[in-house]
Amino acid sequence: MVKASLFLAAAFVVTPALALWPQPRNLQTGSSALKLASSFHITTTIHNAPKDLHDAISRTSSFLKTDKLGRLVVGRGSSDAAVVSRARALPSLTLSLSKGAKINSIAAEAHKALDSRDEAYMLHVPADGSGATMTANTTLGLFRGLTTFSQMWYAYGGDTYTIDAPWIIQDSPAYPYRGLMLDTARNFFPVTDIKRMLDVMSWVKMSVFHWHVVDSQSFPLEVPGFTNISTLGAYSPSSIYSASDVADIMNYAGARGIDVIMEIDTPGHTAIIHEAFPEHVACPEAAPWATFANEPPAGQLRFALPDTAKFTADLLAAAAKMSPSKYFSTGGDELNTPCYDQDVPTQQQLQATGQTLFEALSNFTATTHGALAAQGKTPVVWEEMALDYNVTTLSNETLVMVWISSENVAAVAQKGFKVVHAASDYFYLDCGAGEWIGADPNANSWCDPFKSWQKSYTFNPTANLTEAEAALIQGGEHLLWTEQSGPENVDPIVWPRAASSAELFWSGPGGNGSMALPRLHDVAYRMRARGVNAIQLQPEWCALRPGKCDLTS
Amino acid sequence: MVKASLFLAAAFVVTPALALWPQPRNLQTGSSALKLASSFHITTTIHNAPKDLHDAISRTSSFLKTDKLGRLVVGRGSSDAAVVSRARALPSLTLSLSKGAKINSIAAEAHKALDSRDEAYMLHVPADGSGATMTANTTLGLFRGLTTFSQMWYAYGGDTYTIDAPWIIQDSPAYPYRGLMLDTARNFFPVTDIKRMLDVMSWVKMSVFHWHVVDSQSFPLEVPGFTNISTLGAYSPSSIYSASDVADIMNYAGARGIDVIMEIDTPGHTAIIHEAFPEHVACPEAAPWATFANEPPAGQLRFALPDTAKFTADLLAAAAKMSPSKYFSTGGDELNTPCYDQDVPTQQQLQATGQTLFEALSNFTATTHGALAAQGKTPVVWEEMALDYNVTTLSNETLVMVWISSENVAAVAQKGFKVVHAASDYFYLDCGAGEWIGADPNANSWCDPFKSWQKSYTFNPTANLTEAEAALIQGGEHLLWTEQSGPENVDPIVWPRAASSAELFWSGPGGNGSMALPRLHDVAYRMRARGVNAIQLQPEWCALRPGKCDLTS
């Protein structure tokens, strides 16, 4: 169907069509009005389609009825009413898998290794009153296409319509890793908030939820066999993700095309484990904290001790068993050496074995990553593990997250590691909200200024890389560290800002911010229509008058 | 009662007691546990007490039952359980007015001129099981005392208790003007959001809601006799404050001890009036907007024209009639002269009358302020009217809001005007969230960085002022301009940050931020308990361990 229609392409006007986010990589639109028939329905030709695809169809059908997004122009679509009243009606959308495609659930496809995921889809919405069709090689591709389809429509009066029919879309992402990181340790987020975040992520085709679940301040994760850590280390009994909560989140994410990469940051960022296992933690709550940690409280795993290495490996393995993902993050950032300098058991062990601290770290890493490998997991680490600690035991399959500065990407790629962009200078959502340590009236956040959507949107994922190095880039993510966040502000601090990287890593770099802004308004208005507290990017006066508030207008 | 109890003062430990915000100006606490009796009730000796006082008592009683705020320590009050189980029970709180005091509603007291408001109260909560008493000269004072009383209690198990009884408080504000400004023109806020904001303001004893209700982008105010302006100038029919909405807001605020100062900013910031009255607006939507306005769209009242001056005076008078306040703001900021340079009617009028532009502005101001005076209103203006435009017709009663820089305060005071602190370098809540004009990836907000609570908390209201000039300071306000805000983020962008100025202007300057932080956590947790999305200021680990996250700990 789609291929045949491509013959019509020459007659189409190629426009940066509004409303779609991320922008499809191949998009042709027309200039005809088309409305959804009152009997419009979505069907599939797939025999025994998986439940999560049926659920996705139901959610899409519901959005088509409830979004009721007026077009973002003065009058909110009143000027379309006449042409829409005469428009053809679209009777249906039919989803099909390519011939011979294996029928997996969306979740199963989303849990594949990054380089094996197939998210491509083709969508044809004719303007002549015949049915729309969508094809893909996977249910995950169909899900991405449904997401696109749900963004194509505006509402006015009783009609749900487009004025850009027909549509022909051939789409697939530039990068497989399009992520969002949430820290649930500095402050706790109930499951319902995480699910809402996963919903929004799916609406902009994000593919990875990087769950920084625990840290020095609290340990809200119930790990089978290690439940004392959360019993003693969570903020309260109601601030714990139970094993069934975790399974619930994994399932919810998977059904929305999202892989969950859990992180248990080690050996730093582990102070709270001291409450349950004091024998494994050096310098717990040592003062002044600034000498022993980048933020309070101090406390790090005694990784040089064989017992602690085994304890950590067992903990990571038990946590990894909770996740269907191929990936698991062991963290590895911000190791503080003065903490170990004054830790007697660590110093005794180093002396007894003749190891340096970082030699011991290499051994520790071999042990913990070995335990993950036994679970079939690929390790994920922060950049220091690749660049700063002389760790000799990292597999080249390791995903390395570059956070300190985007300027460090080339060094990681030069070492042959796969890279996930997570640079604080582009993607940190917490920057620019003041300092939270103490009462200094003139202190700002360490990563000031605020990282605007415009900033992240202009990021170049392959800057300063050779072609071979560029091939190591898996994509990137926005990150929310939650020293100053909780359920109260998670929506406005994340949305629609994080959508900028979702488009960057799906549609590819080089997008024009001024051209993108009207579409970003659209997706933000749609988020609000779906109950998410996405912020206003501009006065509504500007949102309804594309381009009029640009500095050159 | 209270005076007699003062004899006990020597036995008390004077501590920066947690939970109260703003800090009472005279506070003595003990070290006894005391819990609310199950039959605890609040009564008043006032014959025919006004309805808004009865309502305030009901709300306070409700908060005492529903806040259920655990003490912010590890264990959340579990360590208090034993002593609380043996504690005396407080049977009642009795409110009285001073002998001979006139019985007005809270609202009537809140609507008095700033220098006539009496918000003082005395509160005695004995530890011996006898009833608590509160006295004041006004119902407004009693309301402030009720607010204090509602913050004194923690919950654990089934008990509502304090461990700091007895309490003796003599309290009154350092400044009468403790305000919050909300711009409802860049983006619209439904009445319910404004009411929630008024609630929170009252919880920290704020006294003025400065309502920047209209601006160049939209005119959401239905002014009797001028309804075409809102019909044509609001974002939508549902984005209009009807006359009854306004009355509702005024009543709601008044009952919570809050005076509403409405602002219709003139002659700049009025572009949208062009939709209904094109004859009164110069350079409407002129391009490029940056030449003709500080932000889009351009468009300003043709104030040099007598017809426009009369139109504006009539509009302001009609709007002023909607407000019980003694004050009304006519704005007067950011006048753009190139707009008038190219406006033919303005230039013809100036030539015909031989006036300069600013001479015409003085005449316009005399007309508009005269119309307000006829309504019994004192005018409020932005600092440019006092400092930059050579306006010779400002009454010395005028309240001048200093916004561009706190360094301009002295110049305004030197001219003998009353001053309201509203400086962007301390009190602007929108700073530091990126630039909203265009897509420049490296642009930041004009008033970067973010103004933290620590910053505003350290403001000195009388810096560089003589004693006579200092006497002109009425107080100050936090301000939220809403180019990038709406109902979605109003709670987290305002709270608890704006509480810092509420304490500054009630308790007086010089507070120690590190000492204040635990109390600010308390008030923020209480806001959340009452359904307000106040942000987390720190990881919960820090909130439960006062001082431990200070940089020097």
Side-chain angles (χ1 to χ4, degrees):
Chain A
M1 269 301 263
V2 172
K3 280 195 180 166
S5 303
L6 289 176
F7 289 107
L8 300 172
F12 295 163
V13 180
V14 178
T15 58
L18 290 181
L20 302 191
W21 193 281
Q23 182 87 323
R25 295 176 81 199
N26 294 286
L27 165 67
Q28 294 171 67
T29 59
S31 55
S32 297
L34 178 69
K35 59 191 167 191
L36 294 183
S38 58
S39 61
F40 174 83
H41 57 285
I42 304 175
T43 59
T44 170
T45 64
I46 306 168
H47 192 61
N48 283 332
K51 179 174 183 304
D52 60 9
L53 182 62
H54 281 298
D55 290 347
I57 289 171
S58 294
R59 289 198 306 277
T60 305
S61 299
S62 176
F63 289 145
L64 293 172
K65 291 193 179 77
T66 59
D67 278 0
K68 294 198 179 306
L69 175 62
R71 196 152 67 88
L72 294 184
V73 292
V74 175
R76 301 304 300 274
S78 58
S79 59
D80 303 330
V83 65
V84 170
S85 73
R86 297 187 301 269
R88 300 287 177 106
L90 184 72
S92 61
L93 167 65
T94 302
L95 314 186
S96 307
L97 285 178
S98 312
K99 211 168 173 180
K102 197 165 167 217
I103 303 173
N104 285 321
S105 67
I106 298 170
E109 297 289 345
H111 294 147
K112 288 183 173 174
L114 286 164
D115 57 6
S116 308
R117 289 182 203 163
D118 185 342
E119 304 179 80
Y121 67 94
M122 293 189 290
L123 172 62
H124 180 209
V125 182
D128 63 1
S130 57
T133 54
M134 189 194 298
T135 58
N137 295 321
T138 64
T139 53
L140 179 59
L142 292 175
F143 176 65
R144 299 298 181 219
L146 282 169
T147 302
T148 302
F149 189 83
S150 83
Q151 293 178 338
M152 291 172 47
W153 310 94
Y154 293 111
Y156 186 80
D159 289 319
T160 303
Y161 70 96
T162 174
I163 54 171
D164 299 315
W167 297 67
I168 299 178
I169 296 174
Q170 278 190 286
D171 201 11
S172 63
Y175 294 96
Y177 192 115
R178 306 176 305 278
L180 183 62
M181 191 215 77
L182 181 69
D183 157 15
T184 56
R186 271 57 178 247
N187 282 301
F188 181 77
F189 294 76
V191 172
T192 179
D193 293 294
I194 292 178
K195 286 185 172 178
R196 190 177 65 257
M197 204 187 70
L198 291 166
D199 277 324
V200 193
M201 289 172 64
S202 77
W203 302 338
V204 292
K205 301 191 174 78
M206 282 182 166
S207 61
V208 179
F209 170 37
H210 171 191
W211 190 4
H212 186 89
V213 61
V214 300
D215 209 293
S216 272
Q217 289 83 1
S218 77
F219 199 102
L221 180 67
E222 179 190 88
V223 181
F226 297 83
T227 53
N228 255 8
I229 308 181
S230 50
T231 302
L232 297 173
Y235 285 136
S236 75
S238 64
S239 299
I240 294 177
Y241 303 107
S242 69
S244 72
D245 287 338
V246 173
D248 187 21
I249 287 169
M250 300 288 177
N251 290 336
Y252 196 90
R256 283 154 184 79
I258 297 170
D259 190 24
V260 181
I261 300 185
M262 293 178 80
E263 176 182 357
I264 295 189
D265 200 352
T266 61
H269 290 274
T270 46
I272 203 73
I273 293 176
H274 164 78
E275 301 287 343
F277 293 95
E279 65 272 31
H280 294 311
V281 177
C283 75
E285 298 192 28
W289 62 257
T291 303
F292 300 105
N294 277 30
E295 66 178 48
Q300 305 182 136
L301 289 172
R302 287 171 164 150
F303 61 80
L305 276 56
D307 280 359
T308 298
K310 179 177 188 314
F311 163 81
T312 308
D314 290 349
L315 172 65
L316 293 172
K321 279 194 180 116
M322 304 173 83
S323 167
S325 176
K326 291 265 182 288
Y327 304 91
F328 194 94
S329 175
T330 62
D333 57 320
E334 297 188 319
L335 211 51
N336 175 289
T337 52
C339 169
Y340 295 114
D341 292 344
Q342 57 89 66
D343 184 55
V344 174
T346 294
Q347 291 307 316
Q348 286 176 338
Q349 179 68 21
L350 293 179
Q351 282 166 28
T353 59
Q355 295 177 99
T356 66
L357 187 70
F358 286 159
E359 284 167 359
L361 182 62
S362 282
N363 291 333
F364 171 82
T365 303
T367 303
T368 56
H369 284 194
L372 290 179
Q375 304 284 334
K377 307 289 186 192
T378 299
V380 183
V381 298
W382 296 110
E383 65 173 278
E384 294 99 312
M385 292 291 282
L387 297 180
D388 298 341
Y389 305 150
N390 200 24
V391 176
T392 58
T393 52
L394 284 183
S395 142
N396 253 14
E397 287 305 300
T398 306
L399 294 190
V400 177
M401 297 192 162
V402 176
W403 71 275
I404 295 174
S405 167
S406 55
E407 293 183 3
N408 298 343
V409 167
V412 173
Q414 281 158 20
K415 296 200 168 199
F417 293 113
K418 293 181 176 175
V419 174
V420 174
H421 290 295
S424 58
D425 45 337
Y426 282 86
F427 300 118
Y428 268 33
L429 294 162
D430 61 319
C431 304
E435 178 54 91
W436 58 271
I437 296 163
D440 180 351
N442 295 312
N444 297 314
S445 68
W446 72 270
C447 54
D448 256 31
F450 181 87
K451 307 308 171 211
S452 66
W453 74 265
Q454 297 97 324
K455 176 80 176 175
S456 46
Y457 194 70
T458 59
F459 182 72
N460 180 356
T462 57
N464 306 318
L465 301 184
T466 65
E467 200 168 324
E469 289 161 4
L472 296 167
I473 303 297
Q474 305 297 302
E477 65 182 23
H478 264 90
L479 307 92
L480 182 61
W481 301 104
T482 60
E483 286 86 354
Q484 294 164 294
S485 287
E488 300 77 19
N489 67 337
V490 64
D491 281 9
I493 204 169
V494 173
W495 304 116
R497 199 160 34 129
S500 61
S501 69
E503 174 153 304
L504 169 69
F505 291 115
W506 178 284
S507 311
N512 177 301
S514 297
M515 297 286 281
L517 178 54
R519 287 186 299 107
L520 193 55
H521 273 304
D522 257 308
V523 75
Y525 272 76
R526 203 176 289 278
M527 288 173 185
R528 290 192 282 274
R530 297 178 184 177
V532 173
N533 283 326
I535 68 158
Q536 309 280 351
L537 296 169
Q538 291 187 314
E540 184 165 319
W541 193 91
C542 305
L544 301 185
R545 293 166 180 83
K548 285 271 193 182
C549 292
D550 289 355
L551 193 51
T552 49
S553 296
Chain B
M1 269 298 267
V2 172
K3 280 193 178 167
S5 304
L6 288 176
F7 289 108
L8 301 172
F12 294 162
V13 179
V14 179
T15 59
L18 292 180
L20 302 191
W21 193 281
Q23 181 86 322
R25 295 177 81 200
N26 294 284
L27 166 67
Q28 295 171 66
T29 59
S31 55
S32 297
L34 179 69
K35 59 191 166 191
L36 294 184
S38 59
S39 61
F40 175 82
H41 58 285
I42 304 175
T43 59
T44 170
T45 64
I46 306 168
H47 192 62
N48 284 333
K51 178 174 183 305
D52 59 10
L53 182 62
H54 281 297
D55 291 345
I57 290 171
S58 294
R59 289 198 305 278
T60 304
S61 300
S62 175
F63 289 146
L64 293 172
K65 290 195 180 77
T66 59
D67 279 359
K68 295 199 179 305
L69 175 62
R71 196 152 68 88
L72 294 184
V73 292
V74 175
R76 301 303 299 273
S78 58
S79 58
D80 304 330
V83 65
V84 170
S85 73
R86 299 188 299 270
R88 300 286 178 106
L90 184 72
S92 62
L93 167 65
T94 302
L95 315 185
S96 305
L97 284 178
S98 312
K99 211 168 172 179
K102 196 162 168 223
I103 303 173
N104 284 322
S105 67
I106 298 169
E109 297 289 345
H111 294 147
K112 287 183 173 173
L114 286 165
D115 58 5
S116 309
R117 288 181 204 166
D118 185 343
E119 304 179 81
Y121 66 95
M122 293 190 289
L123 171 61
H124 179 209
V125 181
D128 63 0
S130 58
T133 54
M134 189 194 298
T135 58
N137 295 321
T138 65
T139 54
L140 180 59
L142 292 175
F143 176 65
R144 299 298 182 219
L146 282 169
T147 302
T148 302
F149 188 83
S150 83
Q151 293 177 336
M152 290 174 48
W153 310 93
Y154 293 111
Y156 187 81
D159 289 320
T160 304
Y161 70 96
T162 174
I163 54 171
D164 300 315
W167 297 67
I168 299 177
I169 296 173
Q170 278 190 287
D171 201 11
S172 63
Y175 294 96
Y177 192 114
R178 306 176 305 278
L180 182 62
M181 191 214 78
L182 181 70
D183 157 16
T184 57
R186 271 57 178 248
N187 283 300
F188 181 76
F189 294 77
V191 172
T192 178
D193 292 295
I194 292 177
K195 286 185 172 179
R196 190 178 65 259
M197 204 187 70
L198 291 165
D199 277 323
V200 192
M201 290 171 64
S202 76
W203 301 338
V204 292
K205 301 191 174 78
M206 282 182 165
S207 60
V208 179
F209 170 37
H210 171 191
W211 190 4
H212 185 90
V213 60
V214 300
D215 208 294
S216 272
Q217 289 83 0
S218 78
F219 199 103
L221 180 68
E222 179 190 87
V223 181
F226 296 83
T227 53
N228 256 8
I229 308 181
S230 49
T231 303
L232 297 172
Y235 285 136
S236 75
S238 64
S239 300
I240 294 176
Y241 303 106
S242 69
S244 72
D245 287 338
V246 173
D248 186 21
I249 287 169
M250 300 286 178
N251 289 337
Y252 196 89
R256 284 155 183 79
I258 298 169
D259 190 23
V260 181
I261 300 185
M262 294 178 80
E263 175 182 358
I264 295 188
D265 199 351
T266 61
H269 290 273
T270 44
I272 202 73
I273 293 175
H274 164 77
E275 301 287 343
F277 293 96
E279 66 272 30
H280 294 311
V281 177
C283 75
E285 299 192 26
W289 61 257
T291 303
F292 300 105
N294 278 30
E295 66 178 50
Q300 306 182 137
L301 290 171
R302 287 172 165 148
F303 62 79
L305 275 56
D307 281 359
T308 299
K310 179 176 187 317
F311 163 81
T312 308
D314 291 349
L315 172 65
L316 293 172
K321 280 195 180 116
M322 305 173 83
S323 167
S325 176
K326 292 265 182 288
Y327 303 91
F328 194 94
S329 174
T330 63
D333 58 320
E334 298 188 318
L335 212 52
N336 176 289
T337 52
C339 169
Y340 295 115
D341 291 344
Q342 57 90 64
D343 185 56
V344 173
T346 294
Q347 291 306 318
Q348 286 176 340
Q349 180 67 19
L350 293 178
Q351 281 167 28
T353 59
Q355 295 177 98
T356 65
L357 188 69
F358 286 158
E359 284 167 358
L361 183 61
S362 283
N363 290 333
F364 171 83
T365 303
T367 303
T368 57
H369 286 194
L372 290 180
Q375 304 284 334
K377 307 289 186 191
T378 299
V380 183
V381 297
W382 297 110
E383 65 173 277
E384 294 99 312
M385 292 291 284
L387 297 180
D388 298 340
Y389 303 150
N390 200 23
V391 176
T392 58
T393 52
L394 285 183
S395 141
N396 253 15
E397 288 305 300
T398 306
L399 295 190
V400 177
M401 297 193 162
V402 176
W403 70 276
I404 295 174
S405 167
S406 56
E407 293 183 2
N408 297 342
V409 167
V412 173
Q414 280 157 22
K415 295 200 168 198
F417 294 113
K418 294 181 176 175
V419 174
V420 173
H421 290 295
S424 57
D425 45 337
Y426 282 86
F427 300 119
Y428 268 33
L429 294 163
D430 60 319
C431 304
E435 179 53 91
W436 57 271
I437 296 163
D440 180 350
N442 296 311
N444 297 314
S445 68
W446 72 269
C447 54
D448 256 31
F450 181 88
K451 308 308 172 210
S452 65
W453 74 264
Q454 297 97 324
K455 176 81 176 174
S456 47
Y457 195 70
T458 58
F459 183 72
N460 179 356
T462 57
N464 306 318
L465 300 183
T466 66
E467 199 169 325
E469 289 161 3
L472 295 167
I473 304 297
Q474 306 298 302
E477 65 183 23
H478 264 92
L479 306 93
L480 182 61
W481 301 104
T482 60
E483 286 86 354
Q484 295 165 292
S485 287
E488 300 77 19
N489 66 338
V490 64
D491 281 9
I493 204 168
V494 173
W495 305 116
R497 199 158 36 128
S500 61
S501 69
E503 174 153 302
L504 169 69
F505 292 114
W506 178 285
S507 310
N512 176 302
S514 297
M515 297 285 282
L517 178 54
R519 288 186 298 107
L520 192 55
H521 273 304
D522 256 308
V523 76
Y525 271 75
R526 203 177 289 277
M527 287 173 185
R528 291 192 282 273
R530 296 178 185 178
V532 173
N533 283 325
I535 68 157
Q536 308 280 350
L537 296 169
Q538 291 187 313
E540 185 165 317
W541 193 91
C542 304
L544 300 185
R545 294 166 180 83
K548 285 270 192 181
C549 292
D550 288 355
L551 194 51
T552 51
S553 295

